[in-house]
Amino acid sequence: MRFGPAEVDDLARGTALLGSGGGGQTDLAARVLRHALTTAGPITLLDAGDVGGDDGYVVPVGLVGAVSVFYERLPSGGEWTPVLAAILDRTRVAPVGVIAIEVGGVNGIVVFVAAAELGLPVIDADLQGRALPRIDQMSVAALGEPITPLAIGDASGRLLVLDGMPPAAAERVVRGALSEFGGWAAFAMRPLRVADLDRLTILGSLGRALRLGARHAAWSRSADPHEMVAALGGRLLGAGRVMEVVRHRATVGFGRGSVIIKVHRGGGLLRLEMENEYLLALVDGRPVASTPDILCVVDRATGTPVPCDTVRGGLDVVAFHLPGPAFWWRPAATHAVGPRAFGLDIDPIRLGPPDPPDPPERP
Amino acid sequence: MTAERAPTLRRLLGYPPLAEAVSLTGDEGLDRPVTGIVLVDAAGTGPVRPGTIALCPAVPAGYLSSWRLDATIRRLRDQDAAALAVPSPRPGEETMLDGSRRLARHLGLPVLAVGHDPLRWAGDAAAFLYAPAVAAAELLHRAHRSLTGAPLGPEEVARALGRILERPVAVFGPDGAPITDGFGPPPGFDPYRPVTQTLTEHGGTTVVVPVPAATGWGVDAWIAAALGPVPESWARAVADVLRAGTLALQRWQATRRVVLERDARLRASLFGDLLEGRLDPGHPARRDASEIGWRLDGWHVAFHIAALGEVDLLRHTDAVAAALAAERVDATVVERGDGWSGWTTARAEPDQDAGRDLIAALRKVRRRLASRFDCAIGVGRAHPDAPGLTRSLAEAWDASRIARGRPQTGRLVHIDRLGLAQLLTAWASSETFAPAAARLLEPLRSQPGDLVATLAAYLDAGCSTADAAAVLGVHRNTVAARLRRVEELLTVDLGNPDDRLALHLACRVTAADRGGAG
């Protein structure tokens, strides 16, 4: 399909939801993308099956680092050309397109910004199917395959190329180097064969984001949360007011914390555990949903996703569950993104299809 | 033995060894019965029996604010546990989130912080829940050890028991008035039921046990413990411990009584010497008297407190001394047949104010003793030195005899006010004169108009018909007419002083008889 300015809004909504509370807010990235589309024209978005020729390669691109800094320092144009060049220089392949490293949040949009800059089509696939905080949590790494060579760089010519490193070490090096790049950096990594995309990536995740965003555009403040969530293909965890937000600064990881929501109906309590993303949901102390599934918190009135880093007491919210990418439920992959990967000592909880909606709520 | 009702969590936490525990989740869910205690680990998923407290002796850092706590609360609630117990967070450590507290309240599963030695707490709880008799025996053992040394007075017994029970203990008098510091009798306490009373008000339990009197019936005192909310079995154990305290108090009273008896015998013999005027300077008994603190030089005012009815005097000697001390009467007191004689001594002759103060104080003493027994008090005049004391004592004793028949004076008579003439009255009420007096006035009794009262009022008023009329509330001419009839009926002449004296005495004696004089 041709991806033009008309699709940006749906993409921004959908990628924000798939961020599971993380991945960065998408509104500003959407404006950057709109600007890029006005100069570069529409971008081609291809299904993996439509690429033609299994021998072609695609390059995963995106940005790594603190998305909050992305807000303060926008791409100036030309960030992805040097990192792509560095990868192609080491691998000697000619890419047929790019894929996103992460569909959730800013990276689901940035792949189009990069594609506009690089003049390549976007293949509808990503390496996470949601948002996850670390590069060693990409699907390729979870399956034990290398993610190097990888390159991070910026428009001013700073460039770091890593090769021959296991994913965890690469994650540590990149994390340590990011401050030298001003908080975030353009990212490109080992090209993947089109033939391997089905095995190594989450296919169709951008299309899912677009469909999700289109349905989310119909969010209405007066409708029953249950019905709206069902329309998104999700399952309501609870609608209520945020009672308490605790951020555990002392513990490991970044952005660890808990959100406690007093559910309007029944007086129960919904507790969300988070670390950059919402990871685990407990209703009245009973675990009901967890990563790798996607947990969303949206403003009850506007439907706007409320990310982990700005959720605060007093907000009137709707929390719901979206099925996570089937990729992560493969036995070989779950360990990388299940609750234990975040220090939450509990088995992942896989929910079946959503229940039929309850009778309308009377607040 | 009937099956013990399981204590509620609230009462269990009133058991002193467990009182360190506090609920982190407020007041909800504390009224569930607790049947046991079990140790669990922070991540544990083992089974917990309904009604038990699940105690987690060690928790990882941050546990209280983590989702794990919520999950544990939920799991325990689903297993119908009574509570979750965790070590108390130290200062600066994370404690429970408001959300978790709310969850615990919502689910009705209290979270207890049990201090910094959770295993000791668990041990105490297990001992109490599974073997309350052992915990009670341990208490009795401690009570036995601390009460069987030197004899302890009421204050010391209360303190010793308070230390063992870790709760306030007080001793009350027979009427329930506190005689040690601490607290008063609880509402509903009945001092006339000589049995152990367990009284509960606002969830707080007070146990009161009687100290049986040495005479075998009645109650000498009460020992009470204010326990707050406690398990019933604990209240029963406390009653046993308090009963051990009653033995100690009885022992103290018996010891004290021996001392009092010994003193009383010495005092009685010295008192005999005193009354017979033998305690002159140089008499060997005089030295004994000064050794026991009797003051024989100076001006003395004696009083006699006559107990009315059957009263065990020795049992109340301390109370009499205490009542006198409370009214700041600095007196020497001696038991004597029907009561206690005492005297105050001053360097110089006491003035009228001092006399009035003494009488006012003795009236209050009488009121203080009223809860124990009724009494009549006579007060003698001030006389100097040992012979004077003998005289004042005799006057006081006579006055007390008169006071018995004079409820209108509050059963307190002072020789100074009375005048010696009334002593004569007292003498006249002897068995020889009284029947004669009754016969003398007999002819007036069958007549209309209260002739005896009129005659008495006339004579009391100094032969003034006007004053007598005012006292009786009738017209003067009525009095005069009645008096003429008296003269006719008795064939006497009221102008004759001898007739007047005889009639006046007769009136007094019959009036005293009708007033119930003894």
Side-chain angles (χ1 to χ4, degrees), chain B residues 148-174:
Chain B
T148 47
L152 302 177
E155 290 280 0
E156 295 152 312
V157 168
R159 261 201 304 278
L161 292 176
R163 270 197 304 274
I164 291 165
L165 298 176
E166 299 177 43
R167 290 290 181 271
V169 172
V171 178
F172 305 152

Side-chain angles (χ1 to χ4, degrees), chain B residues 194 209-221 243 246-247 249-250 253:
Chain B
V209 302
V211 181
T215 48
W217 55 271
V219 172
D220 259 355
R243 276 192 281 273
T246 70
L247 288 179
L249 270 193
Q250 280 180 318
Q253 279 169 336

Side-chain angles (χ1 to χ4, degrees), chain B residues 20-37:
Chain B
E20 193 181 354
V22 292
S23 168
L24 295 178
T25 49
D27 209 37
E28 251 129 300
L30 297 184
D31 292 312
R32 286 202 45 194
V34 178
T35 56
I37 182 164

Side-chain angles (χ1 to χ4, degrees), chain B residues 98-129:
Chain B
D98 285 346
S100 299
R101 291 180 208 272
R102 185 182 279 263
L103 176 68
R105 285 198 293 271
H106 178 61
L107 298 179
L109 187 105
V111 179
L112 308 176
V114 298
H116 301 305
D117 191 355
L119 283 178
R120 187 194 57 74
W121 194 91
D124 287 340
F128 183 74
L129 286 167

Side-chain angles (χ1 to χ4, degrees), chain B residues 126-210:
Chain B
F128 183 74
L129 286 167
Y130 298 128
V134 174
E138 159 69 14
L139 265 199
L140 264 182
H141 177 57
R142 288 177 56 198
H144 174 78
R145 263 196 317 229
S146 64
L147 295 176
T148 47
L152 302 177
E155 290 280 0
E156 295 152 312
V157 168
R159 261 201 304 278
L161 292 176
R163 270 197 304 274
I164 291 165
L165 298 176
E166 299 177 43
R167 290 290 181 271
V169 172
V171 178
F172 305 152
D175 56 348
I179 59 177
T180 60
D181 292 341
F183 56 93
F189 169 67
D190 179 0
Y192 299 103
R193 277 179 57 224
V195 294
T196 298
Q197 298 180 34
T198 303
L199 303 153
T200 300
E201 193 203 19
H202 303 314
T205 299
T206 304
V207 178
V208 192
V209 302

Side-chain angles (χ1 to χ4, degrees), chain B residues 15 23 45 64 155 212 227 272 275-276 308 317 354 368 452 483 515:
Chain B
Y15 173 54
S23 168
T45 48
L64 288 185
E155 290 280 0
L227 303 177
L275 289 182
E276 288 169 27
L308 305 180
T317 295
R368 279 183 184 271
V452 177
L483 292 175

Side-chain angles (χ1 to χ4, degrees), chain B residues 272-464:
Chain B
D273 291 341
L274 179 59
L275 289 182
E276 288 169 27
R278 282 203 295 267
L279 290 187
D280 300 321
H283 191 280
R286 176 108 180 183
R287 207 185 60 234
D288 293 343
S290 71
E291 268 178 10
I292 62 169
W294 285 12
R295 287 161 303 178
L296 300 174
D297 298 327
W299 284 77
H300 308 286
V301 177
F303 55 87
H304 181 72
I305 301 171
L308 305 180
E310 286 290 317
V311 176
D312 175 9
L313 294 185
L314 270 181
R315 201 175 132 204
H316 297 298
T317 295
D318 281 344
V320 170
L324 286 167
E327 295 303 336
R328 301 180 192 286
V329 179
D330 180 15
T332 306
V333 180
V334 185
E335 301 85 1
R336 190 183 172 190
D338 66 340
W340 297 265
S341 281
W343 66 91
T344 65
T345 304
R347 200 181 296 273
E349 180 172 6
D351 57 14
Q352 279 197 336
D353 282 350
R356 251 198 308 280
D357 290 350
L358 177 63
I359 289 176
L362 288 172
R363 272 190 211 292
K364 289 183 189 159
V365 166
R366 187 171 170 275
R367 274 203 293 279
R368 279 183 184 271
L369 296 173
S371 66
R372 294 171 169 266
F373 54 84
D374 196 10
C375 63
I377 300 181
V379 184
R381 289 179 298 170
H383 299 289
D385 298 333
L389 176 55
T390 304
R391 193 165 159 203
S392 188
L393 283 166
E395 287 174 1
W397 194 81
D398 287 340
S400 76
R401 301 283 299 168
I402 297 165
R404 286 173 183 228
R406 305 209 115 193
Q408 64 271 34
T409 63
R411 294 203 204 278
L412 190 145
V413 166
H414 183 203
I415 283 294
D416 262 1
R417 303 234 173 124
L418 187 69
L420 283 172
Q422 290 205 354
L423 266 185
L424 184 61
T425 318
W427 164 82
S429 64
S430 64
E431 291 188 354
T432 48
F433 185 77
R439 269 198 308 282
L440 176 59
L441 298 177
E442 191 59 46
L444 304 182
R445 298 226 183 268
S446 55
Q447 293 298 316
D450 196 349
L451 297 182
V452 177
T454 306
L455 178 61
Y458 170 73
L459 292 168
D460 281 353
C463 300
S464 159

Side-chain angles (χ1 to χ4, degrees), chain B residues 488-502:
Chain B
E488 285 164 17
L489 286 164
L490 300 182
T491 58
V492 295
D493 176 8
L494 286 175
N496 180 339
D498 288 345
D499 286 0
R500 277 209 306 274
L501 176 60

